[in-house]
Amino acid sequence: MADKKEEQPERIIDHPHRRPQGIGTRPPRVDNLKETLWKIWSYMAHEKKLFFLVIIMVIISSVLSLLGPFLLGVSVDHVIETQERDTLLFLLLFLVFIYFFQSAATWLQNFWMIHIAQNTVYSMRKKLFSHLQHLPISFFQTYKHGELMSRLTNDIENVSRTLNTAVIQFATSLLTILGTIGMMIWLSPLLTLLTLTVVPFMYFGMKWITNRTGPYFREQQKELGKMNGYVEEMFSGHTIITMFSQEERVIQEFKEKNERLKKAGFWAQTYSGFIPKLMNMLNNVSFAIIVGGGGLLALKGGMVTIGVIVTFTTYSRQFTRPLNDLANQFNMILSAVAGADRVFQIMEKDIEQKDEEQATDVNAIVGEIEFRSVYFSYEEDQITLEDINFHVEPGSTVALVGPTGAGKTTIVSLLSRFYDPDKGQILIDGKDAKQITRKSLRDQMGVVLQDSFLFHTTIRENIRYGNLAATDKEVVEAAKSANAHEFITRLPDGYDTVLDSDGKGISHGQRQLLSIARALLANPSLLILDEATSSIDTITEIKINDGLKTLMKGRTSFVIAHRLNTIRNADLILVLNEGKIIEKGNHQELMMVDGFYADLVRSQQGNVS
């Protein structure tokens, strides 16, 4: 189960009384830092052998970086004391080799860490995408598509950048700081004490900064996700926006969201920008302390040598720079943790319920359907369906009619097992639907929606999506049966015509014909049709109806009807209102009752019975 404290998703339809989240108040803290870091490590653990080599390279490069300044100090003292050029030349040559091998070790650790980072985010991205495929329909009705895309791309890429650079630099900086302090104490404890007087200021300064950057980085990632979700929605609905002249309103809404993202990013970067300024100031103070204090110690009885002072000035730079880097890298890690936490929130969402242990596959469905006292609610206190009872003979056509929100779509969703009833039974061929595996049930179902979705690929592959094993000949035969072959052959590339995103590039009616061909190729036992002829011209409607007749022949079909003249010949018409079946029968029977259905027919057709 997901953590109860996780951020709430931005719903597709905002509640009118929901209080907007601004930047004026302090954002929430990252409460699960350790937990999220441990989860990231669980993905990196697959590369632990290579990670061990990286740590070895980090240690080697850190040791060599400490040895360089020490040899530099020794060389200075040697020149002052002995004036021997040969020994000095040897020391300087040895110093060159040290820095060369340090660079080589640094390159290797970076190269291997990039490999680890890419494999880690590859596994995260793969698991997240796979998890998304197994989440229930209700999940995708809660989250915007752009919000999910942001987590799959931006948030995971943020983790990738951090692993590529910040993790190794963080470890290197930590080792360098500890090693530098050790070497400084060994050379001169007193001068070390003077040098470290700036550390408390560094500590409290960085603590003050990092306590603020973490929450703001998290807020920045969240606002970026909302922004992506909004942009995706506006691009998808651009035609509607233009038709209703809502451009200025959309621009204003985008401006508000962009403003919140700007503020979150501004404060995150502003606070993190304090770090280099603070470190540079303290670094200069430290340098002054070393030169002044070291000079006094050298004058008073030679407590330190000039070479030691030179070494200390280098070590002080080497000490404060990693402190600076450490804080910056910590900020990067916090930002990555904020992104990773958003990814893990999705991964922890409950997947669609597993099939019951006694559930079995079905290879074929005759098509006898029965709902027995079915109750269902999307929310606990609001009943969606109440005491639904009906029986359907194999090969029958069932029409579901009623006002919006009556429960028509919910019935077919229950039949598809996107949800299970709260009470009651759904029987398929006399067998409880729960005794049938979801995959095998859905394999026996075909769907033609009012707005059918087509993929950005060829027409041939869009039709073949109904049966991936179908031959090209079978694809053509399905298109002919759906009355789609004629318009396909008129296209420049025929069946190899590549459709734009969501089937753009052909008419709405043509997309419907392709959807019917796709369903025909799947050869389903059960059909769900959501008024496939809505908003279609008369000629295309005739073609679609002919295709639907071919598709429905011999199959049990559920038709969600909006235009009642299309379901006059249905074997059974279920009239729903407020989650209840208030009338049932065929067209003639319901017209004779002269009730709710008859009123609907007259309102649409002008008293035609």
Side-chain angles (χ1 to χ4, degrees), residues 395-437:
S396 300
T397 297
V398 182
L400 305 174
V401 303
T404 301
K408 304 184 295 294
T409 301
T410 303
I411 286 179
V412 296
S413 294
L414 291 174
L415 181 61
S416 306
R417 290 206 67 193
F418 293 142
Y419 306 93
D420 284 327
D422 298 331
K423 290 194 299 183
Q425 277 186 308
I426 299 175
L427 302 179
I428 300 176
D429 293 345
K431 188 176 184 179
D432 193 324
K434 293 182 179 180
Q435 307 302 313
I436 303 173
T437 59

mmCIF file of all heavy atoms in Angstrom, residues 395-437:
data_model
loop_
_atom_site.group_PDB
_atom_site.id
_atom_site.type_symbol
_atom_site.label_atom_id
_atom_site.label_comp_id
_atom_site.label_asym_id
_atom_site.label_seq_id
_atom_site.Cartn_x
_atom_site.Cartn_y
_atom_site.Cartn_z
ATOM 1 N N GLY A 395 -25.865 -14.665 -28.088
ATOM 2 C CA GLY A 395 -26.099 -14.053 -29.390
ATOM 3 C C GLY A 395 -27.062 -12.891 -29.379
ATOM 4 O O GLY A 395 -27.360 -12.327 -30.437
ATOM 5 N N SER A 396 -27.545 -12.485 -28.202
ATOM 6 C CA SER A 396 -28.513 -11.395 -28.117
ATOM 7 C C SER A 396 -27.812 -10.037 -28.144
ATOM 8 O O SER A 396 -26.625 -9.925 -27.831
ATOM 9 C CB SER A 396 -29.340 -11.505 -26.828
ATOM 10 O OG SER A 396 -30.050 -12.727 -26.788
ATOM 11 N N THR A 397 -28.593 -9.023 -28.493
ATOM 12 C CA THR A 397 -28.113 -7.647 -28.438
ATOM 13 C C THR A 397 -28.831 -6.929 -27.297
ATOM 14 O O THR A 397 -30.060 -6.885 -27.251
ATOM 15 C CB THR A 397 -28.385 -6.906 -29.754
ATOM 16 O OG1 THR A 397 -27.658 -7.536 -30.807
ATOM 17 C CG2 THR A 397 -27.948 -5.445 -29.647
ATOM 18 N N VAL A 398 -28.038 -6.389 -26.358
ATOM 19 C CA VAL A 398 -28.564 -5.696 -25.193
ATOM 20 C C VAL A 398 -28.214 -4.228 -25.321
ATOM 21 O O VAL A 398 -27.047 -3.867 -25.509
ATOM 22 C CB VAL A 398 -27.979 -6.261 -23.887
ATOM 23 C CG1 VAL A 398 -28.586 -5.552 -22.681
ATOM 24 C CG2 VAL A 398 -28.197 -7.755 -23.794
ATOM 25 N N ALA A 399 -29.225 -3.366 -25.224
ATOM 26 C CA ALA A 399 -28.995 -1.923 -25.283
ATOM 27 C C ALA A 399 -29.137 -1.333 -23.886
ATOM 28 O O ALA A 399 -30.069 -1.670 -23.158
ATOM 29 C CB ALA A 399 -29.981 -1.261 -26.235
ATOM 30 N N LEU A 400 -28.207 -0.460 -23.521
ATOM 31 C CA LEU A 400 -28.239 0.240 -22.237
ATOM 32 C C LEU A 400 -28.539 1.699 -22.513
ATOM 33 O O LEU A 400 -27.775 2.382 -23.206
ATOM 34 C CB LEU A 400 -26.897 0.103 -21.519
ATOM 35 C CG LEU A 400 -26.378 -1.330 -21.307
ATOM 36 C CD1 LEU A 400 -24.975 -1.307 -20.730
ATOM 37 C CD2 LEU A 400 -27.301 -2.100 -20.393
ATOM 38 N N VAL A 401 -29.675 2.181 -22.019
ATOM 39 C CA VAL A 401 -30.068 3.564 -22.265
ATOM 40 C C VAL A 401 -30.359 4.251 -20.940
ATOM 41 O O VAL A 401 -30.638 3.603 -19.933
ATOM 42 C CB VAL A 401 -31.308 3.645 -23.191
ATOM 43 C CG1 VAL A 401 -31.042 2.944 -24.503
ATOM 44 C CG2 VAL A 401 -32.534 3.063 -22.504
ATOM 45 N N GLY A 402 -30.307 5.558 -20.965
ATOM 46 C CA GLY A 402 -30.572 6.336 -19.763
ATOM 47 C C GLY A 402 -29.753 7.603 -19.762
ATOM 48 O O GLY A 402 -28.839 7.777 -20.583
ATOM 49 N N PRO A 403 -30.048 8.520 -18.851
ATOM 50 C CA PRO A 403 -29.302 9.783 -18.792
ATOM 51 C C PRO A 403 -27.858 9.578 -18.369
ATOM 52 O O PRO A 403 -27.477 8.507 -17.872
ATOM 53 C CB PRO A 403 -30.085 10.596 -17.750
ATOM 54 C CG PRO A 403 -30.758 9.569 -16.898
ATOM 55 C CD PRO A 403 -31.086 8.423 -17.803
ATOM 56 N N THR A 404 -27.064 10.611 -18.547
ATOM 57 C CA THR A 404 -25.660 10.566 -18.130
ATOM 58 C C THR A 404 -25.571 10.292 -16.631
ATOM 59 O O THR A 404 -26.290 10.886 -15.831
ATOM 60 C CB THR A 404 -24.976 11.903 -18.450
ATOM 61 O OG1 THR A 404 -25.056 12.145 -19.849
ATOM 62 C CG2 THR A 404 -23.513 11.884 -18.015
ATOM 63 N N GLY A 405 -24.679 9.369 -16.260
ATOM 64 C CA GLY A 405 -24.498 9.035 -14.854
ATOM 65 C C GLY A 405 -25.469 7.994 -14.347
ATOM 66 O O GLY A 405 -25.495 7.707 -13.149
ATOM 67 N N ALA A 406 -26.249 7.389 -15.268
ATOM 68 C CA ALA A 406 -27.242 6.401 -14.830
ATOM 69 C C ALA A 406 -26.603 5.072 -14.464
ATOM 70 O O ALA A 406 -27.200 4.287 -13.727
ATOM 71 C CB ALA A 406 -28.296 6.203 -15.924
ATOM 72 N N GLY A 407 -25.403 4.782 -14.995
ATOM 73 C CA GLY A 407 -24.718 3.537 -14.669
ATOM 74 C C GLY A 407 -24.463 2.645 -15.864
ATOM 75 O O GLY A 407 -24.051 1.488 -15.705
ATOM 76 N N LYS A 408 -24.663 3.160 -17.081
ATOM 77 C CA LYS A 408 -24.493 2.342 -18.295
ATOM 78 C C LYS A 408 -23.057 1.861 -18.447
ATOM 79 O O LYS A 408 -22.802 0.659 -18.621
ATOM 80 C CB LYS A 408 -24.907 3.161 -19.529
ATOM 81 C CG LYS A 408 -26.325 3.709 -19.468
ATOM 82 C CD LYS A 408 -26.710 4.417 -20.749
ATOM 83 C CE LYS A 408 -25.886 5.665 -21.021
ATOM 84 N NZ LYS A 408 -26.125 6.728 -20.015
ATOM 85 N N THR A 409 -22.105 2.789 -18.385
ATOM 86 C CA THR A 409 -20.695 2.423 -18.546
ATOM 87 C C THR A 409 -20.230 1.539 -17.397
ATOM 88 O O THR A 409 -19.390 0.646 -17.591
ATOM 89 C CB THR A 409 -19.829 3.692 -18.625
ATOM 90 O OG1 THR A 409 -20.271 4.485 -19.729
ATOM 91 C CG2 THR A 409 -18.362 3.343 -18.809
ATOM 92 N N THR A 410 -20.771 1.755 -16.209
ATOM 93 C CA THR A 410 -20.373 0.948 -15.057
ATOM 94 C C THR A 410 -20.739 -0.517 -15.261
ATOM 95 O O THR A 410 -19.978 -1.422 -14.884
ATOM 96 C CB THR A 410 -21.037 1.485 -13.776
ATOM 97 O OG1 THR A 410 -20.686 2.854 -13.609
ATOM 98 C CG2 THR A 410 -20.584 0.696 -12.561
ATOM 99 N N ILE A 411 -21.895 -0.782 -15.883
ATOM 100 C CA ILE A 411 -22.305 -2.167 -16.123
ATOM 101 C C ILE A 411 -21.306 -2.885 -17.026
ATOM 102 O O ILE A 411 -20.874 -4.011 -16.727
ATOM 103 C CB ILE A 411 -23.728 -2.206 -16.724
ATOM 104 C CG1 ILE A 411 -24.752 -1.889 -15.634
ATOM 105 C CG2 ILE A 411 -24.019 -3.569 -17.347
ATOM 106 C CD1 ILE A 411 -26.190 -1.877 -16.102
ATOM 107 N N VAL A 412 -20.900 -2.243 -18.125
ATOM 108 C CA VAL A 412 -19.944 -2.910 -19.018
ATOM 109 C C VAL A 412 -18.552 -2.964 -18.380
ATOM 110 O O VAL A 412 -17.767 -3.873 -18.672
ATOM 111 C CB VAL A 412 -19.893 -2.210 -20.392
ATOM 112 C CG1 VAL A 412 -21.232 -2.323 -21.093
ATOM 113 C CG2 VAL A 412 -19.464 -0.768 -20.277
ATOM 114 N N SER A 413 -18.235 -2.024 -17.502
ATOM 115 C CA SER A 413 -16.952 -2.087 -16.778
ATOM 116 C C SER A 413 -16.931 -3.275 -15.827
ATOM 117 O O SER A 413 -15.906 -3.938 -15.663
ATOM 118 C CB SER A 413 -16.711 -0.785 -16.004
ATOM 119 O OG SER A 413 -16.543 0.309 -16.883
ATOM 120 N N LEU A 414 -18.069 -3.557 -15.182
ATOM 121 C CA LEU A 414 -18.168 -4.730 -14.317
ATOM 122 C C LEU A 414 -18.097 -6.007 -15.138
ATOM 123 O O LEU A 414 -17.456 -6.985 -14.727
ATOM 124 C CB LEU A 414 -19.474 -4.690 -13.523
ATOM 125 C CG LEU A 414 -19.596 -3.617 -12.438
ATOM 126 C CD1 LEU A 414 -20.991 -3.620 -11.838
ATOM 127 C CD2 LEU A 414 -18.565 -3.827 -11.341
ATOM 128 N N LEU A 415 -18.742 -6.008 -16.299
ATOM 129 C CA LEU A 415 -18.692 -7.182 -17.168
ATOM 130 C C LEU A 415 -17.262 -7.450 -17.634
ATOM 131 O O LEU A 415 -16.842 -8.607 -17.749
ATOM 132 C CB LEU A 415 -19.608 -6.965 -18.374
ATOM 133 C CG LEU A 415 -19.705 -8.117 -19.385
ATOM 134 C CD1 LEU A 415 -20.250 -9.376 -18.710
ATOM 135 C CD2 LEU A 415 -20.583 -7.722 -20.561
ATOM 136 N N SER A 416 -16.492 -6.379 -17.874
ATOM 137 C CA SER A 416 -15.088 -6.519 -18.301
ATOM 138 C C SER A 416 -14.159 -6.797 -17.129
ATOM 139 O O SER A 416 -12.962 -6.971 -17.319
ATOM 140 C CB SER A 416 -14.636 -5.240 -19.009
ATOM 141 O OG SER A 416 -15.501 -4.902 -20.072
ATOM 142 N N ARG A 417 -14.695 -6.766 -15.917
ATOM 143 C CA ARG A 417 -13.943 -6.972 -14.679
ATOM 144 C C ARG A 417 -12.861 -5.914 -14.478
ATOM 145 O O ARG A 417 -11.796 -6.194 -13.931
ATOM 146 C CB ARG A 417 -13.346 -8.384 -14.610
ATOM 147 C CG ARG A 417 -14.382 -9.480 -14.428
ATOM 148 C CD ARG A 417 -13.803 -10.690 -13.750
ATOM 149 N NE ARG A 417 -13.428 -10.410 -12.369
ATOM 150 C CZ ARG A 417 -12.664 -11.235 -11.632
ATOM 151 N NH1 ARG A 417 -12.203 -12.358 -12.154
ATOM 152 N NH2 ARG A 417 -12.358 -10.927 -10.403
ATOM 153 N N PHE A 418 -13.147 -4.689 -14.933
ATOM 154 C CA PHE A 418 -12.316 -3.578 -14.503
ATOM 155 C C PHE A 418 -12.579 -3.308 -13.025
ATOM 156 O O PHE A 418 -11.726 -2.785 -12.314
ATOM 157 C CB PHE A 418 -12.617 -2.327 -15.323
ATOM 158 C CG PHE A 418 -12.209 -2.452 -16.766
ATOM 159 C CD1 PHE A 418 -12.989 -1.909 -17.777
ATOM 160 C CD2 PHE A 418 -11.050 -3.119 -17.122
ATOM 161 C CE1 PHE A 418 -12.614 -2.009 -19.097
ATOM 162 C CE2 PHE A 418 -10.668 -3.232 -18.448
ATOM 163 C CZ PHE A 418 -11.453 -2.677 -19.442
ATOM 164 N N TYR A 419 -13.772 -3.645 -12.589
ATOM 165 C CA TYR A 419 -14.156 -3.602 -11.179
ATOM 166 C C TYR A 419 -14.939 -4.875 -10.884
ATOM 167 O O TYR A 419 -15.419 -5.555 -11.805
ATOM 168 C CB TYR A 419 -15.058 -2.382 -10.885
ATOM 169 C CG TYR A 419 -14.499 -1.056 -11.306
ATOM 170 C CD1 TYR A 419 -14.795 -0.515 -12.559
ATOM 171 C CD2 TYR A 419 -13.670 -0.331 -10.464
ATOM 172 C CE1 TYR A 419 -14.285 0.705 -12.953
ATOM 173 C CE2 TYR A 419 -13.159 0.899 -10.845
ATOM 174 C CZ TYR A 419 -13.463 1.410 -12.095
ATOM 175 O OH TYR A 419 -12.950 2.620 -12.466
ATOM 176 N N ASP A 420 -15.067 -5.196 -9.607
ATOM 177 C CA ASP A 420 -15.901 -6.303 -9.169
ATOM 178 C C ASP A 420 -17.055 -5.762 -8.336
ATOM 179 O O ASP A 420 -16.912 -4.739 -7.648
ATOM 180 C CB ASP A 420 -15.094 -7.302 -8.333
ATOM 181 C CG ASP A 420 -14.192 -8.177 -9.191
ATOM 182 O OD1 ASP A 420 -14.595 -8.482 -10.334
ATOM 183 O OD2 ASP A 420 -13.098 -8.550 -8.731
ATOM 184 N N PRO A 421 -18.213 -6.427 -8.376
ATOM 185 C CA PRO A 421 -19.366 -5.939 -7.611
ATOM 186 C C PRO A 421 -19.087 -5.931 -6.114
ATOM 187 O O PRO A 421 -18.311 -6.753 -5.603
ATOM 188 C CB PRO A 421 -20.475 -6.941 -7.956
ATOM 189 C CG PRO A 421 -20.000 -7.674 -9.165
ATOM 190 C CD PRO A 421 -18.514 -7.656 -9.114
ATOM 191 N N ASP A 422 -19.730 -4.997 -5.415
ATOM 192 C CA ASP A 422 -19.665 -5.014 -3.954
ATOM 193 C C ASP A 422 -20.510 -6.157 -3.401
ATOM 194 O O ASP A 422 -20.133 -6.812 -2.429
ATOM 195 C CB ASP A 422 -20.174 -3.679 -3.386
ATOM 196 C CG ASP A 422 -19.325 -2.512 -3.846
ATOM 197 O OD1 ASP A 422 -18.125 -2.720 -4.099
ATOM 198 O OD2 ASP A 422 -19.864 -1.398 -3.964
ATOM 199 N N LYS A 423 -21.647 -6.374 -4.045
ATOM 200 C CA LYS A 423 -22.521 -7.486 -3.688
ATOM 201 C C LYS A 423 -23.130 -8.047 -4.968
ATOM 202 O O LYS A 423 -23.229 -7.368 -5.975
ATOM 203 C CB LYS A 423 -23.644 -7.019 -2.741
ATOM 204 C CG LYS A 423 -23.198 -6.661 -1.346
ATOM 205 C CD LYS A 423 -24.381 -6.539 -0.383
ATOM 206 C CE LYS A 423 -25.338 -5.444 -0.827
ATOM 207 N NZ LYS A 423 -26.459 -5.283 0.149
ATOM 208 N N GLY A 424 -23.571 -9.298 -4.898
ATOM 209 C CA GLY A 424 -24.206 -9.907 -6.052
ATOM 210 C C GLY A 424 -23.223 -10.681 -6.907
ATOM 211 O O GLY A 424 -22.034 -10.802 -6.593
ATOM 212 N N GLN A 425 -23.743 -11.234 -8.016
ATOM 213 C CA GLN A 425 -22.947 -12.073 -8.908
ATOM 214 C C GLN A 425 -23.133 -11.657 -10.358
ATOM 215 O O GLN A 425 -24.209 -11.193 -10.752
ATOM 216 C CB GLN A 425 -23.371 -13.545 -8.781
ATOM 217 C CG GLN A 425 -22.744 -14.307 -7.627
ATOM 218 C CD GLN A 425 -23.128 -15.776 -7.689
ATOM 219 O OE1 GLN A 425 -24.302 -16.126 -7.793
ATOM 220 N NE2 GLN A 425 -22.141 -16.645 -7.647
ATOM 221 N N ILE A 426 -22.075 -11.843 -11.129
ATOM 222 C CA ILE A 426 -22.144 -11.729 -12.586
ATOM 223 C C ILE A 426 -21.791 -13.102 -13.141
ATOM 224 O O ILE A 426 -20.690 -13.617 -12.897
ATOM 225 C CB ILE A 426 -21.183 -10.658 -13.122
ATOM 226 C CG1 ILE A 426 -21.532 -9.287 -12.542
ATOM 227 C CG2 ILE A 426 -21.217 -10.614 -14.643
ATOM 228 C CD1 ILE A 426 -20.559 -8.196 -12.919
ATOM 229 N N LEU A 427 -22.725 -13.718 -13.853
ATOM 230 C CA LEU A 427 -22.525 -15.061 -14.382
ATOM 231 C C LEU A 427 -22.276 -14.986 -15.880
ATOM 232 O O LEU A 427 -22.993 -14.285 -16.611
ATOM 233 C CB LEU A 427 -23.744 -15.937 -14.102
ATOM 234 C CG LEU A 427 -24.139 -16.107 -12.632
ATOM 235 C CD1 LEU A 427 -25.379 -16.974 -12.513
ATOM 236 C CD2 LEU A 427 -22.993 -16.704 -11.827
ATOM 237 N N ILE A 428 -21.268 -15.709 -16.342
ATOM 238 C CA ILE A 428 -20.947 -15.818 -17.762
ATOM 239 C C ILE A 428 -21.005 -17.285 -18.125
ATOM 240 O O ILE A 428 -20.228 -18.091 -17.605
ATOM 241 C CB ILE A 428 -19.561 -15.225 -18.063
ATOM 242 C CG1 ILE A 428 -19.519 -13.738 -17.676
ATOM 243 C CG2 ILE A 428 -19.196 -15.406 -19.532
ATOM 244 C CD1 ILE A 428 -18.166 -13.087 -17.842
ATOM 245 N N ASP A 429 -21.942 -17.627 -18.992
ATOM 246 C CA ASP A 429 -22.204 -19.032 -19.324
ATOM 247 C C ASP A 429 -22.453 -19.853 -18.070
ATOM 248 O O ASP A 429 -21.973 -20.991 -17.925
ATOM 249 C CB ASP A 429 -21.032 -19.621 -20.123
ATOM 250 C CG ASP A 429 -20.899 -19.008 -21.506
ATOM 251 O OD1 ASP A 429 -21.863 -18.343 -21.946
ATOM 252 O OD2 ASP A 429 -19.839 -19.182 -22.138
ATOM 253 N N GLY A 430 -23.184 -19.262 -17.124
ATOM 254 C CA GLY A 430 -23.539 -19.947 -15.895
ATOM 255 C C GLY A 430 -22.427 -20.026 -14.870
ATOM 256 O O GLY A 430 -22.605 -20.614 -13.795
ATOM 257 N N LYS A 431 -21.290 -19.411 -15.140
ATOM 258 C CA LYS A 431 -20.130 -19.472 -14.255
ATOM 259 C C LYS A 431 -19.847 -18.093 -13.691
ATOM 260 O O LYS A 431 -19.869 -17.092 -14.430
ATOM 261 C CB LYS A 431 -18.915 -19.994 -15.025
ATOM 262 C CG LYS A 431 -17.693 -20.290 -14.186
ATOM 263 C CD LYS A 431 -16.594 -20.894 -15.051
ATOM 264 C CE LYS A 431 -15.383 -21.291 -14.230
ATOM 265 N NZ LYS A 431 -14.318 -21.903 -15.065
ATOM 266 N N ASP A 432 -19.592 -18.020 -12.385
ATOM 267 C CA ASP A 432 -19.268 -16.743 -11.756
ATOM 268 C C ASP A 432 -18.058 -16.118 -12.452
ATOM 269 O O ASP A 432 -17.036 -16.784 -12.652
ATOM 270 C CB ASP A 432 -18.967 -16.948 -10.273
ATOM 271 C CG ASP A 432 -18.935 -15.631 -9.499
ATOM 272 O OD1 ASP A 432 -18.468 -14.629 -10.061
ATOM 273 O OD2 ASP A 432 -19.382 -15.611 -8.335
ATOM 274 N N ALA A 433 -18.187 -14.839 -12.827
ATOM 275 C CA ALA A 433 -17.098 -14.172 -13.537
ATOM 276 C C ALA A 433 -15.792 -14.203 -12.750
ATOM 277 O O ALA A 433 -14.700 -14.187 -13.335
ATOM 278 C CB ALA A 433 -17.484 -12.724 -13.841
ATOM 279 N N LYS A 434 -15.880 -14.273 -11.420
ATOM 280 C CA LYS A 434 -14.681 -14.319 -10.600
ATOM 281 C C LYS A 434 -13.934 -15.636 -10.745
ATOM 282 O O LYS A 434 -12.773 -15.740 -10.329
ATOM 283 C CB LYS A 434 -15.035 -14.077 -9.131
ATOM 284 C CG LYS A 434 -15.531 -12.666 -8.843
ATOM 285 C CD LYS A 434 -15.812 -12.475 -7.371
ATOM 286 C CE LYS A 434 -16.285 -11.048 -7.081
ATOM 287 N NZ LYS A 434 -16.576 -10.834 -5.650
ATOM 288 N N GLN A 435 -14.608 -16.649 -11.312
ATOM 289 C CA GLN A 435 -13.969 -17.946 -11.535
ATOM 290 C C GLN A 435 -13.249 -18.004 -12.883
ATOM 291 O O GLN A 435 -12.692 -19.029 -13.251
ATOM 292 C CB GLN A 435 -15.017 -19.065 -11.468
ATOM 293 C CG GLN A 435 -15.861 -19.062 -10.206
ATOM 294 C CD GLN A 435 -15.012 -19.183 -8.961
ATOM 295 O OE1 GLN A 435 -14.130 -20.033 -8.883
ATOM 296 N NE2 GLN A 435 -15.269 -18.332 -7.967
ATOM 297 N N ILE A 436 -13.282 -16.865 -13.611
ATOM 298 C CA ILE A 436 -12.616 -16.774 -14.912
ATOM 299 C C ILE A 436 -11.484 -15.758 -14.810
ATOM 300 O O ILE A 436 -11.676 -14.667 -14.272
ATOM 301 C CB ILE A 436 -13.609 -16.338 -16.008
ATOM 302 C CG1 ILE A 436 -14.786 -17.314 -16.080
ATOM 303 C CG2 ILE A 436 -12.917 -16.230 -17.361
ATOM 304 C CD1 ILE A 436 -15.893 -16.866 -17.013
ATOM 305 N N THR A 437 -10.322 -16.096 -15.303
ATOM 306 C CA THR A 437 -9.195 -15.160 -15.242
ATOM 307 C C THR A 437 -9.512 -13.931 -16.086
ATOM 308 O O THR A 437 -10.155 -14.026 -17.146
ATOM 309 C CB THR A 437 -7.890 -15.801 -15.746
ATOM 310 O OG1 THR A 437 -8.080 -16.232 -17.099
ATOM 311 C CG2 THR A 437 -7.504 -16.991 -14.880
#
